[in-house]
Amino acid sequence: MVTQVRHPIWLPAVKPAGARTFATLYALESFARASIASVVPIQAYELLQNKQTVSLLYTLVAFIGLSATLFMPMLIDRFSRRWIYTTGVALLAVGSLLFMTHSLPGQMFGMLARVMGASALAITLNLYIMDHIRKTDIMQAESLRMATSMIAWTGGPTLGVFLYTRYGIFVTHGVVVAFAIALLITFWYFRLGDNAMIRPGKTRPANPLRNIGRFVAQPRLRLAWVIAFGRSCFWTTFFVYGPILMVVTGQGELAGGLLVSAGNALLFAAIYWGKAGRRFGARNIMAFAFVGMSAALLLAGLDGERLPLVTGVFLLFGALFAVALDALGSTAFMRAVRIHERPQMTAVYRTYLDLSELLPPLVYSVVLAFFGLGAVFVTLGAFTAICGFITWRYLPKSM
């Protein structure tokens, strides 16, 4: 018949996006990032040969990345989410190509590309999740997403250090490029950008400073940011200063990778933390997690460089509680943000990650001028205790 239309057979084969879709994308992204999570700080330390200077380098990169994050809604409005996501994947690959130069400029710009790529991926993926996952299902979906990434964050750091020490810099960062290509192919296979329901709105993009003011004016968004910032400060410290602790105390680079991998292996507990949150309430579990994390960090700080392996054990206890906040923390934001403000507020919310990579190294660079590495963990433990009190005091019981 003239009116009959033949469609390609494979188009209907892609199921509507759901929790498993985003878990798959996040798992591939995690492989691309985790495989050099321990290599980047070690490589920076090799180039600079100074713990304090490494902290300052991380501070500079995070500050520039923060600026890029705040302008992300304008870029999304101009180029659409799928192209921003694609650019984010490309930046991960470009970052590794820059790392291959093993030079200070290559290290700095590689770290910057990595930070900006992670920012683009996090913001666009969160927008897709909020479009496709019901608010009542977010806690379960986020738990699945964290748990699915466990393999990447468990094996990735150790694999990266192993490849770095055994086969060199080109093979190590070549793995990142391979995973970035796989992620890009998978993303376009799901065709998330082709769905008219999730295209960016036609409202004019707001000034980034105005977005910040609007965000700060909403108490529940402020609280969600504090929760995310507190747990992200832990992971930043764990990823950077855990491997450095192992190197400067003579345990070796591989020990640093094993420490990070062991901490990430605890991501399997995200499923159980999610169940605990649904049974006992997210507020109770998150406040408990902050308290447990603080205690573990204070104990790690007391041991410091004297007993590095014992310090590593306490850091792993802290990681277990941080996983609870990974599984439940974003729920506070996703349930509070208004639909028409999602792109703008998500970009401001995402600054927790940039600032967690900016402020702690800046503070630690001052602390390290007077004390050893143990003081870094004590400082963080005091801060996470404050985050726990704020969570218990102000997060609604209905969470």
Side-chain angles (χ1 to χ4, degrees):
M1 295 177 61
V2 176
T3 58
Q4 184 178 4
V5 179
R6 293 181 60 85
H7 299 282
I9 296 175
W10 63 272
L11 283 176
V14 181
K15 297 180 180 179
R20 294 186 182 277
T21 302
F22 304 114
T24 301
L25 291 173
Y26 189 68
L28 288 171
E29 176 194 338
S30 296
F31 272 111
R33 293 170 55 202
S35 58
I36 57 171
S38 296
V39 173
V40 172
I42 291 173
Q43 197 170 328
Y45 184 75
E46 287 180 350
L47 290 169
L48 297 170
Q49 293 296 312
N50 186 283
K51 295 175 288 185
Q52 190 175 8
T53 309
V54 171
S55 291
L56 292 175
L57 175 61
Y58 271 87
T59 299
L60 175 63
V61 170
F63 180 78
I64 300 174
L66 173 62
S67 302
T69 296
L70 291 175
F71 281 93
M72 200 64 68
M74 300 178 68
L75 295 175
I76 291 175
D77 183 81
R78 174 66 178 83
F79 298 105
S80 82
R81 296 178 195 174
R82 64 169 174 248
W83 291 114
I84 297 301
Y85 190 96
T86 299
T87 302
V89 177
L91 283 171
L92 294 183
V94 169
S96 278
L97 293 176
L98 290 168
F99 285 135
M100 289 181 185
T101 65
H102 201 59
S103 63
L104 185 56
Q107 183 75 17
M108 183 176 69
F109 287 110
M111 291 171 64
L112 182 59
R114 180 173 160 86
V115 167
M116 293 176 64
S119 174
L121 292 174
I123 291 174
T124 49
L125 188 64
N126 278 336
L127 291 174
Y128 283 130
I129 289 172
M130 287 186 286
D131 282 330
H132 289 278
I133 305 297
R134 294 178 300 179
K135 289 185 176 182
T136 55
D137 296 331
I138 285 177
M139 192 180 302
Q140 182 178 359
E142 286 297 280
S143 299
L144 176 64
R145 184 162 71 101
M146 292 298 111
T148 304
S149 67
M150 178 196 69
I151 298 176
W153 288 107
T154 300
T158 301
L159 174 63
V161 173
F162 172 77
L163 292 175
Y164 185 65
T165 55
R166 179 65 66 88
Y167 298 103
I169 196 170
F170 293 102
V171 173
T172 304
H173 293 289
V175 170
V176 176
V177 176
F179 276 115
I181 293 173
L183 173 59
L184 193 60
I185 293 173
T186 304
F187 171 74
W188 281 93
Y189 169 76
F190 286 135
R191 300 193 312 280
L192 293 174
D194 294 339
N195 190 335
M197 295 295 291
I198 61 176
R199 288 177 182 168
K202 298 302 181 181
T203 57
R204 62 178 183 179
N207 184 292
L209 296 179
R210 188 175 301 174
N211 292 339
I212 296 175
R214 179 60 184 156
F215 188 97
V216 172
Q218 301 180 60
R220 289 187 63 182
L221 294 185
R222 293 200 307 265
L223 179 58
W225 189 93
V226 169
I227 293 171
F229 178 70
R231 54 104 165 169
S232 189
C233 283
F234 173 86
W235 286 120
T236 296
T237 304
F238 184 78
F239 287 147
V240 175
Y241 295 93
I244 289 178
L245 172 69
M246 293 299 151
V247 171
V248 300
T249 56
Q251 306 304 310
E253 297 173 341
L254 187 58
L258 288 171
L259 175 64
V260 173
S261 290
N264 289 323
L266 298 172
L267 283 169
F268 81 91
I271 293 292
Y272 301 101
W273 283 120
K275 292 180 180 178
R278 292 192 295 274
R279 180 174 180 179
F280 300 106
R283 186 192 73 157
N284 296 334
I285 297 301
M286 283 192 278
F288 171 73
F290 269 122
V291 171
M293 185 193 304
S294 299
L297 285 167
L298 292 174
L299 291 171
L302 292 177
D303 292 310
E305 297 176 59
R306 294 185 301 107
L307 300 170
L309 296 181
V310 176
T311 300
V313 171
F314 284 124
L315 289 177
L316 291 177
F317 276 111
L320 177 62
F321 292 109
V323 170
L325 297 167
D326 284 338
L328 304 175
S330 59
T331 303
F333 170 75
M334 292 185 178
R335 288 184 176 179
V337 65
R338 294 182 172 91
I339 294 178
H340 66 281
E341 293 181 322
R342 282 178 178 175
Q344 295 80 12
M345 296 303 101
T346 299
V348 179
Y349 173 71
R350 173 56 176 65
T351 61
Y352 79 82
L353 189 53
D354 298 290
L355 286 174
S356 71
E357 295 177 349
L358 171 65
L359 296 180
L362 182 61
V363 173
Y364 299 156
S365 66
V366 177
V367 171
L368 289 170
F370 301 96
F371 305 100
L373 272 174
V376 166
F377 306 128
V378 171
T379 302
L380 179 59
F383 175 68
T384 53
I386 296 173
C387 293
F389 172 77
I390 293 173
T391 301
W392 175 261
R393 177 66 178 81
Y394 296 105
L395 192 67
K397 292 182 179 180
S398 58
M399 284 294 298

